[in-house]
Amino acid sequence: QKEVEQDPGPLSVPEGAIVSLNCTYSNSAFQYFMWYRQYSRKGPELLMYTYSSGNKEDGRFTAQVDKSSKYISLFIRDSQPSDSATYLCAMRDNYGQNFVFGPGTRLSVLP
Amino acid sequence: EAQVTQNPRYLITVTGKKLTVTCSQNMNHEYMSWYRQDPGLGLRQIYYSMNVEVTDKGDVPEGYKVSRKEKRNFPLILESPSPNQTSLYFCASSLYTEPGLASNEQFFGPGTRLTVL
């Protein structure tokens, strides 16, 4: 079993839809949970991160962490064609310098 | 402009021919890291460095070497490349949020696509 699992997609949605992206993980020591966005032929860039369980909102994006289920989600409201990218979840424990990434979900938002 | 640069961007080589991929950042970041990205496997950490002369293995270090002689540079060395090292490689850097703890925000370079024949 991989340490972090993520549905690879591709996921295609119409413009304006609500998108839900998810990751599951097996290591209960993970405390920091990140979402990175990667456009084609570019390096990833951080969207947002959360510490431990709970929700965090930033504009159209909401990150949720459920540590009891070892499940994290990223919601995108009012999705735009410019949101078309691969979304990578990433995690690490409190003091680790080692980041563990999911395989990524490719999202296409159709105009 | 604050950035992470990698060279070369594309490289085709043959098995066993030593190569170096350079990485440089101009943001005075302490933490630097190398990843490889493969379809279905995502980003996997190869090596990371917490500061000059301090490096440690990530999840997939076999077949790779690194060095950190200067704060801004973190080259990745493949002493004897093999076809299973064909991949897309990313260098990343970040600040510390507190002593010894890298920020969750890593800044990635543009990637180096390596093909080993």
Side-chain angles (χ1 to χ4, degrees), chain A residues 92-111:
Chain A
R92 65 177 206 184
D93 61 32
N94 259 335
Y95 299 103
Q97 309 296 344
N98 179 228
F99 291 76
V100 181
F101 281 79
T105 298
R106 190 152 57 95
L107 171 68
S108 292
V109 181
L110 307 174

Side-chain angles (χ1 to χ4, degrees), chain B residues 47-99:
Chain B
Y47 270 95
Y48 61 90
S49 170
M50 295 172 63
N51 217 321
V52 175
E53 302 290 3
V54 182
T55 63
D56 208 347
K57 296 177 181 178
D59 294 321
V60 289
E62 295 78 17
Y64 304 94
K65 284 177 57 177
V66 293
S67 69
R68 187 95 181 271
K69 292 182 171 33
E70 305 165 284
K71 196 172 186 179
R72 63 183 293 130
N73 296 324
F74 190 43
L76 179 71
I77 303 155
L78 284 72
E79 295 269 5
S80 183
S82 62
N84 64 12
Q85 294 178 298
T86 293
S87 187
L88 179 58
Y89 291 86
F90 287 100
C91 180
S93 72
S94 71
L95 288 167
Y96 283 153
T97 52
E98 58 183 79

Side-chain angles (χ1 to χ4, degrees), chain A residues 42-75:
Chain A
K42 300 281 189 185
E45 55 183 0
L46 181 70
L47 266 178
M48 56 198 307
Y49 75 90
T50 54
Y51 175 73
S52 195
S53 284
N55 294 0
K56 186 173 184 178
E57 187 174 321
D58 184 1
R60 296 185 295 112
F61 299 89
T62 300
Q64 286 185 354
V65 175
D66 181 351
K67 289 192 69 185
S68 62
S69 303
K70 297 191 179 69
Y71 187 88
I72 71 170
S73 301
L74 177 71
F75 297 96

Side-chain angles (χ1 to χ4, degrees), chain A residues 31-50:
Chain A
Q31 294 284 357
Y32 290 96
F33 303 91
M34 294 144 268
W35 285 96
Y36 279 80
R37 178 176 61 195
Q38 185 177 20
Y39 290 115
S40 181
R41 303 183 195 280
K42 300 281 189 185
E45 55 183 0
L46 181 70
L47 266 178
M48 56 198 307
Y49 75 90
T50 54

